[in-house]
Amino acid sequence: GSGIVAYSVSGPSHCAIGVDGSQADAKRKKVVVLGTGWAGTSFLKKLDSSIYDVRVVSPRNYFAFTPLLPSVTCGTVEARSIVEPIRNIIKKKAGEIIFLEAECFKIDPNSKKVHCRSTQKTDSVAKEEFIVDYDYLVVAMGARANTFNTPGVVEHCHFLKEIEDAQNIRRSVINCFEKANLPNLSEEERKKNLHFLVVGGGPTGVEFAAELHDFIEGDLSKLYPNVKDLVKITLLEAGDHILSVFDKRITAFAEEKFQRDGIDVKTGSMVVKVTDGAISTKERSTGQVASIPYGMVVWSTGIGTRPIITEFMQQIGQTNRRVLATDEWLRVEGCDGIYAMGDCATINQRKVMEDIAAIFKKADTDNSGTLTVKKLQGVVDDICERYSQFQLYLKNKKLKNIIDLLKESKGNDNKEAVELDIETLKLAFSQVDSQMKMLPATAQVAAQQGQYLARCFNVMDECEANPEGPLRFRGSGRHRFHPFRYKHLGQFAPLGGEQTAAQLPGDWVSIGHSSQWLWYSVYASKLVSWRTRVLVVSDWGRRFIFGRDSSRI
């Protein structure tokens, strides 16, 4: 095991250098990657960098395993255990990849340049700024926390998006206990300092509340016995239930467990204002406004658009959108040579009904004005691949294929006898677009997009000559690549007390201690390197033996 770890970590970098040196580099296309998050790092790991001139621009020189951020907030896992230097990742690639620690502040799609600013301060602004040219630009800059323009959130709340956020929360929790333990405070002041508010009942907010409860019950209550009975954790959710993206069985179990643990869950409660020391909420049902004193607030209510992405969308005419719109091949709509993935983008799926006339024309090979089963069978696979909503619709209707759908719409049991015109085809396909769904902004989606796009880049020249994708219904030939398809592998919701809820494909739901061990196994396997695996597993072992560290460093 040690030998495998050492070999995987110490692999030398191999630079692809042509016989004539610089001339080989000149022939390679320039690929610029913005961001070192899930999407960007997955892309870099799978990309054949020997055939491209790759530049990576990011204000942070590491990849962070963000699903474990709630564990960092309470010392279950140390911050450095879940980060991997990006240079450790790129040094193992065949071909040189240059990393630039800087922040991109402007994208110029017309001249194919990105304007960057170094995160290292120099004597003048001119020295800090530089320009990077590209042939292909991969935008994977992630997103920021969504405040919904609520007054006071930025000034008084903690977010949980970055390593620094988790470290700040950890220090703030200890500060609240140390402050409440001072002898010159009244009981009301102590209660206020030990009131922890979590805004947002999604997976991140719920996991943090559970981690904080375990930290307090398992460690801090022993170290601060005089104030342990004054601690209160409140979870605010604007919707009707927490964990609304999970199965109802998981939602019900989580709410019941939190009630048993003493975590106050307030659903239907919207935050309207945050001040220093108090938060104002409005009950959705009654409209009543209440003020709640607090010692610390963690804001976890979804994602918002970064300013540079907003500015870029205005440049390319995507002004009325929340994030960048791409097609099913992750190409930014309205741009040439620009791709986007992860939390900063969403796939704008093509509707079947928009192309129904083109589909009919492509299938009607003899221009007879009607379609038969034989004609349709020539394009059925291409239709299902091009329009992902078809598979979902057929699954929900419990139909095997499109032919069965047409047979059902015609009320005819004889497949061979099915013959239809364009109006009948429109009627049969009219409800298919109702199955279109937006992909969730999760690490799982971003990682799969990065892997997919890297594969497309690796076979780009080959697929230019021999396209592998579905038919172009509005044009001739085929698409170069297969469109991106997300494969959901399941999701976890740690609920504290060594219990986790797991929802896996096939509507398989498991809740309890066994799911917690499954969570340990999956997360350990998904870590980006053997180094981080060893560190995280050792942190878990240390916590089991010695408990969590409560020192404020």
Side-chain angles (χ1 to χ4, degrees), residues 54 164 314 397 399 420 428 482 508 510 513 524 542-543:
V54 185
E164 294 81 4
Q314 292 173 349
K397 296 281 288 184
L399 299 172
L420 60 158
H482 298 294
W508 188 79
S510 175
H513 297 286
R542 171 188 50 76
R543 195 264 300 175

Side-chain angles (χ1 to χ4, degrees), residues 45-65:
K45 289 186 70 177
K46 295 295 183 180
L47 180 68
D48 183 0
S49 53
S50 65
I51 58 177
Y52 292 102
D53 180 11
V54 185
R55 300 287 185 274
V56 183
V57 179
S58 175
R60 62 182 193 185
N61 67 350
Y62 58 85
F63 164 78
F65 191 83

Side-chain angles (χ1 to χ4, degrees), residues 3 61 80 155 162 186 195 222 231 241 247 252 256 279 292 302 323 328 340 346 348 376 398 420 458 469 480 485 512:
N61 67 350
R80 287 201 173 273
E155 295 82 2
E162 305 287 347
S186 65
H195 189 190
K222 301 172 185 177
V231 178
H241 297 281
D247 187 274
E256 292 172 5
I279 190 169
I292 305 174
V323 290
E328 289 89 340
T346 186
N348 190 16
L376 273 171
K398 297 181 179 179
L420 60 158
N458 293 344
R480 275 193 302 178
R485 290 292 177 263

